[in-house]
Amino acid sequence: MSFEWPWQYNFPPFFTLQPNVDTRQKQLAAWCSLALSYCRHHKLYTLDVMEAQESPMFNNKKIERKLSMEAIQVVFEELRKKGNLEWLDKNKSRCLVMWRRPEEWGKLIYQWVSKNGMVNSVFTLYELSNGDDTEGEEFHGLEEWMLLRSLQALQTDGKAEVITMDDGKGVKFF
Amino acid sequence: MGNLFGKKKQTRVTEQDKAILQLKQQRDKLRQYQKKINQQLEKERLLAKQLLKDGKKEKALLLLKKKRYQEQLLDKTENQISNLERMVQDLEFAQIEKKVIDGLKAGNDCLKKMHEVMSIEEVERIMDETQDAIEYQRQIDDMLAGSLSQEDEDAVLAELEAITQGDVELPDVPSDKLPEVPEATEDKPERERPRKKSEREMLAA
């Protein structure tokens, strides 16, 4: 299953920030959804801005256009405002992408747990994201920070509790 | 961050949970170790092939020996993992058993309390009182029912007398005037109508 690019992706002006406010708004919205669905398709959770510029996400080799660094920053800033992105450093060179909110991830995980009758059980984070049992689940391969966030979201709902031990973390579902 | 939250509601995570977590963490480490060894095995297998092709039999043999040793290690870790998993399961099951016992205990306590409320003397007393009440009710019923039946009997007797006394007069009166005349007048037109209808139908046909 290959990634389906939106029609704008093959439209050269799409790769230049538009001066008109309305057009620019639409362009940004399209870029945001493109970036999110790209990350979702490739299961990307952390992005390096430099790498992202070279990746097909912002670089269409077919029409030889790529989004400029400033434009990428604008798009990422837009995503940050929407709550889908968080910067990892002050220089804004690395970021966390949340194409699914922690609460939604938490819901998915909890559904899996209750479906398998494992409420009231203890899990290691490794087990959840890399274990054999979760193979084929959407959250398989979830990066640890994202997993932890979603578990914390569950924790605020009282559905889980994160346990911190000397080496590594675990979680208990309720 | 999780720690802050955890401290607030520490009560829900028991010592057993922590023990299970520790076991599971150990198991995860073994799993990772297995993965590592598996990858190494694969690499070494390829390397051994390469060495054989190049004619370095000695080295290949050495490598295979190493590989064999690692395979044994893999078996050992597999055993350890199953040991750990069994331990986890035992722990989990013990927790379930504990809950079952707790449940039974709660039920038992509840029963005891209920029994305290309902002592045998109390039950006996209540049963006696109920018996008394039933008896009392029956007496009332009898009294009411008795008076009624007395009345009934009187009425029955009166009716009987009336019938036997008016045996000659009563049947005569209705049979002469009331029942026959209206019945006859009512019956006739009813019987005639359908006939007329059928005649009409015949005519129409």
Side-chain angles (χ1 to χ4, degrees):
Chain A
M1 205 176 74
S2 63
F3 182 66
E4 253 185 57
W5 297 100
W7 64 270
Q8 295 101 321
Y9 189 64
N10 291 312
F11 182 57
F14 188 50
F15 288 82
T16 321
L17 269 188
Q18 297 301 306
N20 181 302
V21 181
D22 279 353
T23 328
R24 194 190 175 113
Q25 214 64 45
K26 275 180 198 158
Q27 187 192 15
L28 278 179
W31 269 118
C32 286
S33 78
L34 189 154
L36 284 185
S37 40
Y38 184 87
C39 290
R40 182 193 287 255
H41 186 80
H42 293 275
K43 294 209 162 185
L44 299 174
Y45 305 99
T46 32
L47 282 184
D48 187 287
V49 179
M50 295 294 279
E51 277 174 30
Q53 197 190 18
E54 292 309 314
S55 82
M57 177 167 33
F58 294 122
N59 187 357
N60 188 346
K61 289 202 174 103
K62 214 167 75 190
I63 58 167
E64 293 186 335
R65 286 283 189 288
K66 65 176 174 183
L67 205 59
S68 71
M69 200 47 99
E70 297 83 61
I72 291 179
Q73 291 287 356
V74 174
V75 171
F76 279 8
E77 197 54 33
E78 189 72 13
L79 280 173
R80 193 191 61 80
K81 276 186 210 151
K82 289 205 289 179
N84 292 114
L85 186 141
E86 255 172 57
W87 291 110
L88 276 176
D89 49 8
K90 274 186 186 169
N91 302 328
K92 299 192 174 176
S93 64
R94 289 184 63 75
C95 60
L96 304 174
V97 193
M98 291 178 274
W99 37 271
R100 191 174 265 145
R101 280 183 296 123
E103 293 83 28
E104 291 171 314
W105 278 119
K107 220 170 133 190
L108 271 181
I109 296 171
Y110 195 76
Q111 266 172 3
W112 175 79
V113 168
S114 48
K115 198 177 76 197
N116 288 289
M118 300 207 267
V119 180
N120 254 322
S121 307
V122 187
F123 291 92
T124 57
L125 296 197
Y126 177 82
E127 191 180 5
L128 281 177
S129 59
N130 290 299
D132 295 338
D133 291 343
T134 61
E135 198 99 43
E137 294 297 325
E138 269 200 89
F139 54 85
H140 189 80
L142 198 65
E143 282 187 10
E144 187 166 317
W145 65 270
M146 191 72 217
L147 183 62
L148 203 57
R149 287 249 186 119
S150 38
L151 293 177
Q152 275 156 1
L154 278 180
Q155 188 165 260
T156 41
D157 285 349
K159 281 181 181 166
E161 201 165 306
V162 178
I163 312 164
T164 314
M165 298 249 287
D166 338 313
D167 49 353
K169 286 187 169 65
V171 65
K172 187 182 182 188
F173 294 101
F174 296 98
Chain B
M1 263 164 76
N3 212 7
L4 280 176
F5 280 109
K7 268 176 189 164
K8 250 187 225 168
K9 298 183 236 159
Q10 200 85 57
T11 43
R12 293 218 286 178
V13 175
T14 58
E15 284 303 311
Q16 291 93 320
D17 290 340
K18 279 188 183 166
I20 290 176
L21 185 66
Q22 214 157 19
L23 286 171
K24 282 194 165 180
Q25 274 174 347
Q26 208 54 50
R27 185 204 56 190
D28 286 350
K29 274 180 200 155
L30 282 175
R31 277 266 148 82
Q32 275 160 315
Y33 183 66
Q34 266 188 329
K35 268 186 198 169
K36 194 183 90 184
I37 287 187
N38 267 326
Q39 272 170 352
Q40 268 182 3
L41 281 177
E42 193 57 33
K43 260 188 222 161
E44 268 156 30
R45 206 174 56 85
L46 290 175
L47 202 68
K49 260 190 189 171
Q50 190 62 42
L51 284 173
L52 274 179
K53 259 188 197 169
D54 296 350
K56 293 174 184 166
K57 217 175 172 186
E58 287 277 306
K59 266 196 171 177
L61 215 67
L62 214 70
L63 208 63
L64 284 177
K65 264 185 198 165
K66 199 179 154 198
K67 198 178 140 237
R68 180 86 204 116
Y69 175 70
Q70 277 178 330
E71 273 167 357
Q72 280 171 353
L73 268 185
L74 208 61
D75 282 349
K76 276 182 199 160
T77 45
E78 193 58 57
N79 275 335
Q80 283 176 353
I81 285 177
S82 71
N83 260 341
L84 280 173
E85 274 181 345
R86 197 171 312 144
M87 189 75 188
V88 167
Q89 268 163 9
D90 284 351
L91 258 173
E92 277 177 343
F93 194 68
Q95 273 185 305
I96 292 170
E97 280 178 330
K98 190 178 159 274
K99 270 183 192 154
V100 170
I101 288 176
D102 283 349
L104 284 175
K105 211 171 138 192
N108 201 8
D109 286 351
C110 190
L111 258 181
K112 260 187 203 159
K113 266 183 199 161
M114 298 285 279
H115 285 162
E116 270 169 32
V117 177
M118 313 184 296
S119 65
I120 290 183
E121 296 93 60
E122 188 81 357
V123 173
E124 252 176 13
R125 194 178 61 78
I126 290 171
M127 286 307 279
D128 278 353
E129 276 179 18
T130 315
Q131 201 57 48
D132 286 353
I134 290 171
E135 206 56 49
Y136 190 70
Q137 185 62 40
R138 190 175 297 147
Q139 275 178 12
I140 293 174
D141 282 353
D142 279 353
M143 274 160 71
L144 285 174
S147 64
L148 263 177
S149 70
Q150 195 62 46
E151 264 176 30
D152 282 344
E153 266 175 50
D154 287 349
V156 167
L157 280 176
E159 214 178 326
L160 190 75
E161 229 167 290
I163 289 169
T164 45
Q165 271 184 3
D167 208 7
V168 198
E169 292 169 15
L170 276 174
D172 275 1
V173 179
S175 70
D176 277 349
K177 294 169 189 171
L178 282 169
E180 282 180 16
V181 177
E183 267 176 30
T185 50
E186 272 175 24
D187 279 357
K188 272 172 193 169
E190 271 180 10
R191 275 175 202 158
E192 278 169 7
R193 265 173 215 157
R195 266 181 212 157
K196 274 180 188 169
K197 266 183 195 169
S198 62
E199 275 172 12
R200 271 177 209 156
E201 280 167 5
M202 296 266 281
L203 280 171

